[in-house]
Amino acid sequence: MVTGFRLNLAPVKEPLGFIRVLEWFTTVFAFASCAGYVGRNVVTLRCAGGANETLNATFTYPFRLNQALLVEANATICNHSVSETHLVGDAASSAEFFVAVAVLAFLYCMAALLVYVGYMHVYRDSDFGPMFDFLLTAAFAFLWLVCSSAWARGLQVVKDATGTEGIASTLGVCRQDVACQVSEYANLRNLNISVVFGFLNLLVWAGNAWFVYKETRWHSQKRASQGVGHGPVPAQI
């Protein structure tokens, strides 16, 4: 069997390769819309004397909110001495898990496409290649389900912690004679998009698992057994 590189773009036109290209794009959008995010909410504090002050609640990927500084140490706000205060919550585990799955899926798409366009003759002449491809594709479909669900929950933690109620419960002066309200919200569109693309990847990878399964010997053996079972009945002598 010849194992050299043979450039052949025909597999990309088939569902097996075309969906893998689609996975490449959806994976890129998933991690690009989450990793590197920086947002800032502006909090307006209405003091008892009528004056207003503002604070900036800045949060970034990977969203370790309990390390995001809201008030510096020994600050004076509305004539109240306030100690160092951070936001509440930590969504780092779910955000990093989501990005890690996306990056690994991206790398696997690149490797799989390289095999499809250059080594398809080896891929289809062996049992190992299609079976390995199927198992990893199914595994990534499951990982997309888990990491997208976790990140959707983590994003809700971010929204709750950086909203008016979350900041008011964190900042002590807001529980006294100071009215606190988030007057300017950070644009969370990219983070919402990342969740959408996470679940979209689940659908795409789960659908592609079927086309990869058709390349395995499990599918060919099933078809062969069905063909034998439905063969013509021999004539009686």
Side-chain angles (χ1 to χ4, degrees):
M1 180 177 62
V2 180
T3 60
F5 182 86
R6 298 180 188 174
L7 181 61
N8 180 14
L9 298 180
V12 179
K13 301 177 183 179
E14 301 174 1
L16 179 68
F18 176 77
I19 298 179
R20 193 67 78 187
V21 174
L22 182 61
E23 288 173 348
W24 185 86
F25 281 104
T26 55
T27 299
V28 169
F29 280 110
F31 74 76
S33 56
C34 179
Y37 177 85
V38 178
R40 185 189 68 172
N41 283 0
V42 178
V43 185
T44 300
L45 297 88
R46 294 179 176 84
C47 306
N52 291 342
E53 295 189 22
T54 59
L55 295 174
N56 294 324
T58 303
F59 49 100
T60 64
Y61 173 85
F63 309 105
R64 290 187 175 88
L65 303 177
N66 52 13
Q67 298 180 9
L69 188 64
L70 181 62
V71 179
E72 296 182 356
N74 300 322
T76 300
I77 301 177
C78 297
N79 297 322
H80 293 278
S81 179
V82 181
S83 59
E84 182 174 291
T85 306
H86 296 81
L87 296 174
V88 175
D90 188 352
S93 58
S94 59
E96 290 176 335
F97 179 39
F98 180 83
V99 171
V101 170
V103 171
L104 290 175
F106 168 80
L107 294 176
Y108 183 67
C109 284
M110 296 289 291
L113 286 172
L114 177 62
V115 172
Y116 293 168
V117 301
Y119 298 94
M120 200 61 176
H121 56 291
V122 179
Y123 179 89
R124 283 179 170 158
D125 286 343
S126 66
D127 291 334
F128 174 77
M131 293 170 64
F132 179 78
D133 194 14
F134 168 71
L135 292 175
L136 272 185
T137 302
F140 270 113
F142 175 74
L143 287 174
W144 278 116
L145 171 63
V146 176
C147 74
S148 298
S149 301
W151 171 226
R153 175 55 186 154
L155 179 55
Q156 189 59 51
V157 170
V158 174
K159 292 179 178 179
D160 292 341
T162 58
T164 296
E165 294 184 3
I167 291 178
S169 63
T170 302
L171 201 55
V173 294
C174 298
R175 298 191 296 269
Q176 301 178 19
D177 56 351
V178 179
C180 303
Q181 182 178 8
V182 176
S183 55
E184 295 182 22
Y185 282 90
N187 189 347
L188 299 178
R189 180 179 58 186
N190 285 351
L191 299 183
N192 292 326
I193 288 175
S194 68
V195 174
V196 172
F197 271 100
F199 286 106
L200 179 61
N201 271 290
L202 164 63
L203 298 177
V204 175
W205 283 78
N208 197 29
W210 164 248
F211 292 100
V212 180
Y213 171 73
K214 292 175 66 175
E215 300 290 333
T216 65
R217 62 180 174 87
W218 297 323
H219 183 261
S220 59
Q221 289 175 349
K222 182 178 180 181
R223 291 186 61 186
S225 63
Q226 290 176 345
V228 172
H230 293 82
V233 178
Q236 296 182 355
I237 299 176

